[in-house]
Amino acid sequence: MKKNNDWKDRLGVLYSTNPDFVYETDEVEEEATWANDQQPLRVSLDRRNRGGKTVTLIRDFHGTTADLETLGKTLKTRCGVGGSAKDGEIIIQGDHRERVVQILRELGYRKARPI
């Protein structure tokens, strides 16, 4: 949970003399991470806009950014390749669809399916 008194988020705000004033940010609360067996992950292959390089995409992750990055790091480590995790999807370099689905099922993601 983020502190409400972080001065960096209040840059550009004038001082208020109201003792009941509470500064509000426009941040949206992240949704809680769904249980592993409830995640409807889809694993697919993609070549678009990547300069001819092939990547494995894992989409439809529902949860916090930290949990997404942790899962992405686990997949990258177990596949021995690079990649990234952002915006609810994980990108693994290369064609690793079968390996990724196998790893996800070992981790309890029962609804993970290749497309």
Side-chain angles (χ1 to χ4, degrees), residues 6-33:
D6 190 7
W7 65 271
K8 292 178 184 177
D9 289 335
R10 295 189 311 242
L11 290 177
V13 175
L14 298 177
Y15 178 77
S16 175
T17 57
N18 183 354
D20 298 326
F21 178 77
V22 177
Y23 181 76
E24 297 176 9
T25 61
D26 294 336
E27 290 185 13
V28 177
E29 186 88 16
E30 285 186 320
E31 70 175 298
T33 303

PDB file of all heavy atoms in Angstrom, residues 6-33:
ATOM      1  N   ASP A   6       3.356  11.023   0.353  1.00  0.00           N
ATOM      2  CA  ASP A   6       4.538  11.036  -0.505  1.00  0.00           C
ATOM      3  C   ASP A   6       4.623  12.385  -1.209  1.00  0.00           C
ATOM      4  O   ASP A   6       3.780  12.729  -2.032  1.00  0.00           O
ATOM      5  CB  ASP A   6       4.478   9.904  -1.527  1.00  0.00           C
ATOM      6  CG  ASP A   6       5.791   9.722  -2.267  1.00  0.00           C
ATOM      7  OD1 ASP A   6       6.781  10.384  -1.893  1.00  0.00           O
ATOM      8  OD2 ASP A   6       5.815   8.924  -3.205  1.00  0.00           O
ATOM      9  N   TRP A   7       5.632  13.184  -0.898  1.00  0.00           N
ATOM     10  CA  TRP A   7       5.732  14.548  -1.409  1.00  0.00           C
ATOM     11  C   TRP A   7       5.959  14.598  -2.914  1.00  0.00           C
ATOM     12  O   TRP A   7       5.583  15.562  -3.565  1.00  0.00           O
ATOM     13  CB  TRP A   7       6.831  15.312  -0.688  1.00  0.00           C
ATOM     14  CG  TRP A   7       8.206  14.752  -0.934  1.00  0.00           C
ATOM     15  CD1 TRP A   7       8.837  13.783  -0.223  1.00  0.00           C
ATOM     16  CD2 TRP A   7       9.097  15.131  -1.969  1.00  0.00           C
ATOM     17  NE1 TRP A   7      10.056  13.515  -0.753  1.00  0.00           N
ATOM     18  CE2 TRP A   7      10.255  14.338  -1.830  1.00  0.00           C
ATOM     19  CE3 TRP A   7       9.056  16.040  -2.999  1.00  0.00           C
ATOM     20  CZ2 TRP A   7      11.335  14.440  -2.676  1.00  0.00           C
ATOM     21  CZ3 TRP A   7      10.133  16.148  -3.846  1.00  0.00           C
ATOM     22  CH2 TRP A   7      11.266  15.347  -3.684  1.00  0.00           C
ATOM     23  N   LYS A   8       6.541  13.557  -3.511  1.00  0.00           N
ATOM     24  CA  LYS A   8       6.797  13.575  -4.950  1.00  0.00           C
ATOM     25  C   LYS A   8       5.505  13.557  -5.755  1.00  0.00           C
ATOM     26  O   LYS A   8       5.441  14.086  -6.852  1.00  0.00           O
ATOM     27  CB  LYS A   8       7.665  12.385  -5.345  1.00  0.00           C
ATOM     28  CG  LYS A   8       9.071  12.481  -4.818  1.00  0.00           C
ATOM     29  CD  LYS A   8       9.868  11.272  -5.197  1.00  0.00           C
ATOM     30  CE  LYS A   8      11.252  11.330  -4.579  1.00  0.00           C
ATOM     31  NZ  LYS A   8      12.013  10.129  -4.872  1.00  0.00           N
ATOM     32  N   ASP A   9       4.461  12.921  -5.217  1.00  0.00           N
ATOM     33  CA  ASP A   9       3.177  12.893  -5.910  1.00  0.00           C
ATOM     34  C   ASP A   9       2.429  14.215  -5.796  1.00  0.00           C
ATOM     35  O   ASP A   9       1.469  14.448  -6.519  1.00  0.00           O
ATOM     36  CB  ASP A   9       2.284  11.783  -5.355  1.00  0.00           C
ATOM     37  CG  ASP A   9       2.792  10.417  -5.747  1.00  0.00           C
ATOM     38  OD1 ASP A   9       3.500  10.326  -6.778  1.00  0.00           O
ATOM     39  OD2 ASP A   9       2.478   9.443  -5.044  1.00  0.00           O
ATOM     40  N   ARG A  10       2.847  15.077  -4.866  1.00  0.00           N
ATOM     41  CA  ARG A  10       2.140  16.331  -4.651  1.00  0.00           C
ATOM     42  C   ARG A  10       2.851  17.521  -5.262  1.00  0.00           C
ATOM     43  O   ARG A  10       2.491  18.669  -4.977  1.00  0.00           O
ATOM     44  CB  ARG A  10       1.964  16.565  -3.156  1.00  0.00           C
ATOM     45  CG  ARG A  10       1.085  15.533  -2.509  1.00  0.00           C
ATOM     46  CD  ARG A  10       0.772  15.914  -1.091  1.00  0.00           C
ATOM     47  NE  ARG A  10       1.950  16.277  -0.341  1.00  0.00           N
ATOM     48  CZ  ARG A  10       2.378  15.640   0.735  1.00  0.00           C
ATOM     49  NH1 ARG A  10       1.737  14.608   1.191  1.00  0.00           N
ATOM     50  NH2 ARG A  10       3.450  16.055   1.370  1.00  0.00           N
ATOM     51  N   LEU A  11       3.861  17.302  -6.069  1.00  0.00           N
ATOM     52  CA  LEU A  11       4.556  18.416  -6.701  1.00  0.00           C
ATOM     53  C   LEU A  11       3.567  19.216  -7.537  1.00  0.00           C
ATOM     54  O   LEU A  11       2.749  18.671  -8.264  1.00  0.00           O
ATOM     55  CB  LEU A  11       5.697  17.907  -7.579  1.00  0.00           C
ATOM     56  CG  LEU A  11       6.878  17.308  -6.827  1.00  0.00           C
ATOM     57  CD1 LEU A  11       7.905  16.780  -7.818  1.00  0.00           C
ATOM     58  CD2 LEU A  11       7.518  18.314  -5.910  1.00  0.00           C
ATOM     59  N   GLY A  12       3.621  20.519  -7.417  1.00  0.00           N
ATOM     60  CA  GLY A  12       2.724  21.379  -8.172  1.00  0.00           C
ATOM     61  C   GLY A  12       1.411  21.657  -7.465  1.00  0.00           C
ATOM     62  O   GLY A  12       0.559  22.355  -7.993  1.00  0.00           O
ATOM     63  N   VAL A  13       1.229  21.135  -6.254  1.00  0.00           N
ATOM     64  CA  VAL A  13       0.008  21.385  -5.486  1.00  0.00           C
ATOM     65  C   VAL A  13       0.295  22.501  -4.497  1.00  0.00           C
ATOM     66  O   VAL A  13       1.303  22.490  -3.791  1.00  0.00           O
ATOM     67  CB  VAL A  13      -0.446  20.117  -4.732  1.00  0.00           C
ATOM     68  CG1 VAL A  13      -1.631  20.415  -3.841  1.00  0.00           C
ATOM     69  CG2 VAL A  13      -0.784  19.035  -5.716  1.00  0.00           C
ATOM     70  N   LEU A  14      -0.597  23.473  -4.435  1.00  0.00           N
ATOM     71  CA  LEU A  14      -0.431  24.570  -3.500  1.00  0.00           C
ATOM     72  C   LEU A  14      -0.712  24.105  -2.077  1.00  0.00           C
ATOM     73  O   LEU A  14      -1.430  23.145  -1.848  1.00  0.00           O
ATOM     74  CB  LEU A  14      -1.377  25.715  -3.861  1.00  0.00           C
ATOM     75  CG  LEU A  14      -1.142  26.330  -5.236  1.00  0.00           C
ATOM     76  CD1 LEU A  14      -2.179  27.382  -5.509  1.00  0.00           C
ATOM     77  CD2 LEU A  14       0.246  26.892  -5.343  1.00  0.00           C
ATOM     78  N   TYR A  15      -0.193  24.829  -1.125  1.00  0.00           N
ATOM     79  CA  TYR A  15      -0.371  24.513   0.283  1.00  0.00           C
ATOM     80  C   TYR A  15      -1.814  24.774   0.703  1.00  0.00           C
ATOM     81  O   TYR A  15      -2.414  25.779   0.326  1.00  0.00           O
ATOM     82  CB  TYR A  15       0.590  25.360   1.115  1.00  0.00           C
ATOM     83  CG  TYR A  15       0.464  25.142   2.596  1.00  0.00           C
ATOM     84  CD1 TYR A  15       1.000  24.018   3.180  1.00  0.00           C
ATOM     85  CD2 TYR A  15      -0.207  26.050   3.396  1.00  0.00           C
ATOM     86  CE1 TYR A  15       0.884  23.802   4.541  1.00  0.00           C
ATOM     87  CE2 TYR A  15      -0.332  25.848   4.748  1.00  0.00           C
ATOM     88  CZ  TYR A  15       0.216  24.730   5.322  1.00  0.00           C
ATOM     89  OH  TYR A  15       0.100  24.506   6.660  1.00  0.00           O
ATOM     90  N   SER A  16      -2.384  23.891   1.502  1.00  0.00           N
ATOM     91  CA  SER A  16      -3.743  24.061   1.989  1.00  0.00           C
ATOM     92  C   SER A  16      -3.722  24.310   3.485  1.00  0.00           C
ATOM     93  O   SER A  16      -3.025  23.620   4.231  1.00  0.00           O
ATOM     94  CB  SER A  16      -4.573  22.812   1.701  1.00  0.00           C
ATOM     95  OG  SER A  16      -5.844  22.942   2.279  1.00  0.00           O
ATOM     96  N   THR A  17      -4.501  25.281   3.934  1.00  0.00           N
ATOM     97  CA  THR A  17      -4.598  25.568   5.364  1.00  0.00           C
ATOM     98  C   THR A  17      -5.717  24.772   6.027  1.00  0.00           C
ATOM     99  O   THR A  17      -5.872  24.827   7.239  1.00  0.00           O
ATOM    100  CB  THR A  17      -4.845  27.065   5.597  1.00  0.00           C
ATOM    101  OG1 THR A  17      -6.029  27.452   4.895  1.00  0.00           O
ATOM    102  CG2 THR A  17      -3.651  27.876   5.100  1.00  0.00           C
ATOM    103  N   ASN A  18      -6.482  24.047   5.243  1.00  0.00           N
ATOM    104  CA  ASN A  18      -7.574  23.234   5.777  1.00  0.00           C
ATOM    105  C   ASN A  18      -6.976  22.016   6.475  1.00  0.00           C
ATOM    106  O   ASN A  18      -6.309  21.201   5.855  1.00  0.00           O
ATOM    107  CB  ASN A  18      -8.501  22.804   4.642  1.00  0.00           C
ATOM    108  CG  ASN A  18      -9.691  22.013   5.118  1.00  0.00           C
ATOM    109  OD1 ASN A  18      -9.804  21.680   6.287  1.00  0.00           O
ATOM    110  ND2 ASN A  18     -10.575  21.707   4.191  1.00  0.00           N
ATOM    111  N   PRO A  19      -7.240  21.851   7.790  1.00  0.00           N
ATOM    112  CA  PRO A  19      -6.657  20.704   8.494  1.00  0.00           C
ATOM    113  C   PRO A  19      -7.256  19.365   8.072  1.00  0.00           C
ATOM    114  O   PRO A  19      -6.663  18.323   8.307  1.00  0.00           O
ATOM    115  CB  PRO A  19      -6.966  20.988   9.972  1.00  0.00           C
ATOM    116  CG  PRO A  19      -8.098  21.941   9.952  1.00  0.00           C
ATOM    117  CD  PRO A  19      -8.003  22.713   8.680  1.00  0.00           C
ATOM    118  N   ASP A  20      -8.412  19.377   7.411  1.00  0.00           N
ATOM    119  CA  ASP A  20      -9.048  18.143   6.963  1.00  0.00           C
ATOM    120  C   ASP A  20      -8.724  17.798   5.517  1.00  0.00           C
ATOM    121  O   ASP A  20      -9.268  16.842   4.971  1.00  0.00           O
ATOM    122  CB  ASP A  20     -10.575  18.251   7.114  1.00  0.00           C
ATOM    123  CG  ASP A  20     -10.980  18.439   8.565  1.00  0.00           C
ATOM    124  OD1 ASP A  20     -10.284  17.874   9.438  1.00  0.00           O
ATOM    125  OD2 ASP A  20     -11.962  19.151   8.810  1.00  0.00           O
ATOM    126  N   PHE A  21      -7.834  18.584   4.891  1.00  0.00           N
ATOM    127  CA  PHE A  21      -7.502  18.360   3.490  1.00  0.00           C
ATOM    128  C   PHE A  21      -6.726  17.057   3.335  1.00  0.00           C
ATOM    129  O   PHE A  21      -5.785  16.779   4.070  1.00  0.00           O
ATOM    130  CB  PHE A  21      -6.666  19.521   2.949  1.00  0.00           C
ATOM    131  CG  PHE A  21      -6.247  19.342   1.520  1.00  0.00           C
ATOM    132  CD1 PHE A  21      -7.128  19.559   0.489  1.00  0.00           C
ATOM    133  CD2 PHE A  21      -4.963  18.932   1.202  1.00  0.00           C
ATOM    134  CE1 PHE A  21      -6.754  19.392  -0.828  1.00  0.00           C
ATOM    135  CE2 PHE A  21      -4.579  18.760  -0.099  1.00  0.00           C
ATOM    136  CZ  PHE A  21      -5.475  18.992  -1.122  1.00  0.00           C
ATOM    137  N   VAL A  22      -7.139  16.253   2.362  1.00  0.00           N
ATOM    138  CA  VAL A  22      -6.440  15.008   2.041  1.00  0.00           C
ATOM    139  C   VAL A  22      -6.126  15.040   0.554  1.00  0.00           C
ATOM    140  O   VAL A  22      -7.020  15.181  -0.272  1.00  0.00           O
ATOM    141  CB  VAL A  22      -7.315  13.769   2.367  1.00  0.00           C
ATOM    142  CG1 VAL A  22      -6.596  12.503   1.961  1.00  0.00           C
ATOM    143  CG2 VAL A  22      -7.679  13.752   3.824  1.00  0.00           C
ATOM    144  N   TYR A  23      -4.860  14.930   0.227  1.00  0.00           N
ATOM    145  CA  TYR A  23      -4.460  14.933  -1.174  1.00  0.00           C
ATOM    146  C   TYR A  23      -4.820  13.596  -1.804  1.00  0.00           C
ATOM    147  O   TYR A  23      -4.545  12.544  -1.243  1.00  0.00           O
ATOM    148  CB  TYR A  23      -2.953  15.182  -1.297  1.00  0.00           C
ATOM    149  CG  TYR A  23      -2.497  15.230  -2.728  1.00  0.00           C
ATOM    150  CD1 TYR A  23      -2.741  16.342  -3.512  1.00  0.00           C
ATOM    151  CD2 TYR A  23      -1.842  14.159  -3.301  1.00  0.00           C
ATOM    152  CE1 TYR A  23      -2.338  16.386  -4.824  1.00  0.00           C
ATOM    153  CE2 TYR A  23      -1.435  14.191  -4.619  1.00  0.00           C
ATOM    154  CZ  TYR A  23      -1.689  15.319  -5.371  1.00  0.00           C
ATOM    155  OH  TYR A  23      -1.294  15.358  -6.678  1.00  0.00           O
ATOM    156  N   GLU A  24      -5.464  13.630  -2.964  1.00  0.00           N
ATOM    157  CA  GLU A  24      -5.861  12.415  -3.655  1.00  0.00           C
ATOM    158  C   GLU A  24      -5.115  12.300  -4.976  1.00  0.00           C
ATOM    159  O   GLU A  24      -5.011  13.260  -5.715  1.00  0.00           O
ATOM    160  CB  GLU A  24      -7.365  12.426  -3.928  1.00  0.00           C
ATOM    161  CG  GLU A  24      -8.199  12.451  -2.679  1.00  0.00           C
ATOM    162  CD  GLU A  24      -9.681  12.564  -2.981  1.00  0.00           C
ATOM    163  OE1 GLU A  24     -10.061  12.444  -4.161  1.00  0.00           O
ATOM    164  OE2 GLU A  24     -10.437  12.786  -2.039  1.00  0.00           O
ATOM    165  N   THR A  25      -4.615  11.103  -5.253  1.00  0.00           N
ATOM    166  CA  THR A  25      -3.948  10.857  -6.526  1.00  0.00           C
ATOM    167  C   THR A  25      -4.920  10.181  -7.469  1.00  0.00           C
ATOM    168  O   THR A  25      -5.963   9.697  -7.064  1.00  0.00           O
ATOM    169  CB  THR A  25      -2.710   9.954  -6.333  1.00  0.00           C
ATOM    170  OG1 THR A  25      -3.136   8.711  -5.795  1.00  0.00           O
ATOM    171  CG2 THR A  25      -1.696  10.600  -5.406  1.00  0.00           C
ATOM    172  N   ASP A  26      -4.549  10.130  -8.741  1.00  0.00           N
ATOM    173  CA  ASP A  26      -5.398   9.512  -9.758  1.00  0.00           C
ATOM    174  C   ASP A  26      -5.083   8.030  -9.939  1.00  0.00           C
ATOM    175  O   ASP A  26      -5.532   7.421 -10.894  1.00  0.00           O
ATOM    176  CB  ASP A  26      -5.223  10.226 -11.095  1.00  0.00           C
ATOM    177  CG  ASP A  26      -5.732  11.654 -11.044  1.00  0.00           C
ATOM    178  OD1 ASP A  26      -6.596  11.931 -10.183  1.00  0.00           O
ATOM    179  OD2 ASP A  26      -5.279  12.478 -11.849  1.00  0.00           O
ATOM    180  N   GLU A  27      -4.317   7.454  -9.017  1.00  0.00           N
ATOM    181  CA  GLU A  27      -3.928   6.060  -9.164  1.00  0.00           C
ATOM    182  C   GLU A  27      -5.112   5.132  -8.956  1.00  0.00           C
ATOM    183  O   GLU A  27      -5.964   5.358  -8.116  1.00  0.00           O
ATOM    184  CB  GLU A  27      -2.835   5.700  -8.165  1.00  0.00           C
ATOM    185  CG  GLU A  27      -1.516   6.360  -8.476  1.00  0.00           C
ATOM    186  CD  GLU A  27      -0.423   5.891  -7.543  1.00  0.00           C
ATOM    187  OE1 GLU A  27      -0.628   4.891  -6.830  1.00  0.00           O
ATOM    188  OE2 GLU A  27       0.624   6.535  -7.547  1.00  0.00           O
ATOM    189  N   VAL A  28      -5.129   4.075  -9.749  1.00  0.00           N
ATOM    190  CA  VAL A  28      -6.176   3.074  -9.652  1.00  0.00           C
ATOM    191  C   VAL A  28      -5.626   1.890  -8.858  1.00  0.00           C
ATOM    192  O   VAL A  28      -4.497   1.445  -9.086  1.00  0.00           O
ATOM    193  CB  VAL A  28      -6.609   2.604 -11.067  1.00  0.00           C
ATOM    194  CG1 VAL A  28      -7.646   1.517 -10.974  1.00  0.00           C
ATOM    195  CG2 VAL A  28      -7.113   3.789 -11.869  1.00  0.00           C
ATOM    196  N   GLU A  29      -6.419   1.401  -7.945  1.00  0.00           N
ATOM    197  CA  GLU A  29      -6.012   0.247  -7.136  1.00  0.00           C
ATOM    198  C   GLU A  29      -5.896  -0.983  -8.036  1.00  0.00           C
ATOM    199  O   GLU A  29      -6.791  -1.263  -8.833  1.00  0.00           O
ATOM    200  CB  GLU A  29      -7.061  -0.004  -6.051  1.00  0.00           C
ATOM    201  CG  GLU A  29      -6.699  -1.063  -5.075  1.00  0.00           C
ATOM    202  CD  GLU A  29      -5.895  -0.537  -3.905  1.00  0.00           C
ATOM    203  OE1 GLU A  29      -5.874   0.677  -3.701  1.00  0.00           O
ATOM    204  OE2 GLU A  29      -5.289  -1.359  -3.225  1.00  0.00           O
ATOM    205  N   GLU A  30      -4.790  -1.727  -7.917  1.00  0.00           N
ATOM    206  CA  GLU A  30      -4.621  -2.941  -8.713  1.00  0.00           C
ATOM    207  C   GLU A  30      -5.554  -4.022  -8.192  1.00  0.00           C
ATOM    208  O   GLU A  30      -5.781  -4.128  -6.986  1.00  0.00           O
ATOM    209  CB  GLU A  30      -3.180  -3.446  -8.627  1.00  0.00           C
ATOM    210  CG  GLU A  30      -2.201  -2.640  -9.425  1.00  0.00           C
ATOM    211  CD  GLU A  30      -0.824  -3.286  -9.416  1.00  0.00           C
ATOM    212  OE1 GLU A  30      -0.404  -3.793  -8.358  1.00  0.00           O
ATOM    213  OE2 GLU A  30      -0.184  -3.280 -10.464  1.00  0.00           O
ATOM    214  N   GLU A  31      -6.076  -4.825  -9.118  1.00  0.00           N
ATOM    215  CA  GLU A  31      -6.940  -5.909  -8.692  1.00  0.00           C
ATOM    216  C   GLU A  31      -6.112  -7.018  -8.049  1.00  0.00           C
ATOM    217  O   GLU A  31      -4.938  -7.191  -8.355  1.00  0.00           O
ATOM    218  CB  GLU A  31      -7.736  -6.470  -9.871  1.00  0.00           C
ATOM    219  CG  GLU A  31      -6.904  -7.236 -10.878  1.00  0.00           C
ATOM    220  CD  GLU A  31      -7.741  -7.874 -11.967  1.00  0.00           C
ATOM    221  OE1 GLU A  31      -8.581  -8.722 -11.640  1.00  0.00           O
ATOM    222  OE2 GLU A  31      -7.537  -7.501 -13.122  1.00  0.00           O
ATOM    223  N   ALA A  32      -6.734  -7.734  -7.137  1.00  0.00           N
ATOM    224  CA  ALA A  32      -6.048  -8.830  -6.461  1.00  0.00           C
ATOM    225  C   ALA A  32      -5.763  -9.948  -7.466  1.00  0.00           C
ATOM    226  O   ALA A  32      -6.504 -10.147  -8.424  1.00  0.00           O
ATOM    227  CB  ALA A  32      -6.906  -9.362  -5.322  1.00  0.00           C
ATOM    228  N   THR A  33      -4.682 -10.659  -7.234  1.00  0.00           N
ATOM    229  CA  THR A  33      -4.306 -11.740  -8.134  1.00  0.00           C
ATOM    230  C   THR A  33      -5.241 -12.925  -7.958  1.00  0.00           C
ATOM    231  O   THR A  33      -5.512 -13.352  -6.838  1.00  0.00           O
ATOM    232  CB  THR A  33      -2.857 -12.178  -7.849  1.00  0.00           C
ATOM    233  OG1 THR A  33      -2.006 -11.036  -7.988  1.00  0.00           O
ATOM    234  CG2 THR A  33      -2.421 -13.262  -8.822  1.00  0.00           C
TER     235      THR A  33
END
